[in-house]
Amino acid sequence: MTAHAELAHYRKTPPNTPAAPSTPTTRIDRPRPGDGRLLWRLARDSGTLDLNSAYSYLLWCRDFAGTSAVARDASGRAVGFVSGYLRPESPGTLLVWQIAVDESVRGLGIARALLDGLSARVAAEHGLSSLETTISPGNRASERLFASYAARHGATLTREVLFAPEEFPDRGYAPEVLHRIGPLSF
């Protein structure tokens, strides 16, 4: 199933329910450097993500476009993104750095389609055996998203604290919990 068909499928059906593909109104593709400002705004407006510098989003769209994805509406406007990279010490592991969806289209399966589409692309281009991400405690939406990803792909999900609060330079940080999903097979 293409990313376009996947998005249409996820919009209209609950998890694990097969459906015939329909005409999508959103496409998933690679980010371009010009998308950096849009991704920065999506991250800023998410209400949950740590906001990196605008410059870092521009660089991300240039240097990590192969391991990131953007969801665009019918007009081409970015309505969601997932950024990631292959871990240098474990090149079969995709670390998902950030994922955000515009508030106006949340609940339509865009985050799910972004993750599935990006995983399939990375698997085809580089090979993919596992996926990792960190989630702050209490971010239930992200916890559900990655738990459902593991279930859809028949993979095990494990959790452990990656960075404790005292490891951050400022006070007020919650622990970052590493979610490992694998083994994956595509």
Side-chain angles (χ1 to χ4, degrees):
M1 190 180 293
T2 68
H4 300 305
E6 287 175 6
L7 183 57
H9 168 81
Y10 294 130
R11 277 188 166 172
K12 298 180 182 227
T13 59
N16 302 321
T17 303
S22 62
T23 306
T25 58
T26 304
R27 75 177 192 281
I28 296 173
D29 60 14
R30 293 174 194 254
R32 300 179 296 264
D35 291 326
R37 65 185 172 83
L38 304 171
L39 276 54
W40 180 85
R41 286 188 187 120
L42 285 166
R44 179 196 65 194
D45 296 345
S46 73
T48 58
L49 295 176
D50 282 342
L51 187 61
N52 299 301
S53 73
Y55 179 66
S56 70
Y57 290 91
L58 292 168
L59 283 175
W60 202 278
C61 290
R62 184 192 78 162
D63 294 341
F64 296 100
T67 54
S68 300
V70 175
R72 300 180 196 283
D73 66 12
S75 71
R77 178 179 71 103
V79 294
F81 78 91
V82 57
S83 58
Y85 63 88
L86 292 172
R87 291 196 51 219
E89 297 82 21
S90 180
T93 299
L94 175 65
L95 184 120
V96 172
W97 181 269
Q98 290 186 316
I99 187 163
V101 174
D102 186 88
E103 185 176 21
S104 68
V105 293
R106 286 186 191 151
L108 300 178
I110 292 173
R112 179 184 201 168
L114 279 164
L115 270 181
D116 286 347
L118 176 61
S119 297
R121 177 166 36 95
V122 169
E125 294 176 1
H126 303 283
L128 185 62
S129 58
S130 62
L131 184 139
E132 294 182 349
T133 194
T134 61
I135 302 173
S136 298
N139 185 339
R140 301 290 179 238
S142 288
E143 290 172 350
R144 284 190 306 270
L145 175 66
F146 286 94
S148 70
Y149 175 90
R152 276 192 316 284
H153 293 279
T156 301
L157 169 64
T158 61
R159 298 172 186 88
E160 67 182 73
V161 173
L162 180 64
F163 299 118
E166 61 272 10
E167 294 180 83
F168 288 93
D170 300 328
R171 294 185 187 269
Y173 277 89
E176 284 291 329
V177 178
L178 178 67
H179 293 233
R180 282 192 183 115
I181 301 170
L184 296 171
S185 58
F186 285 88

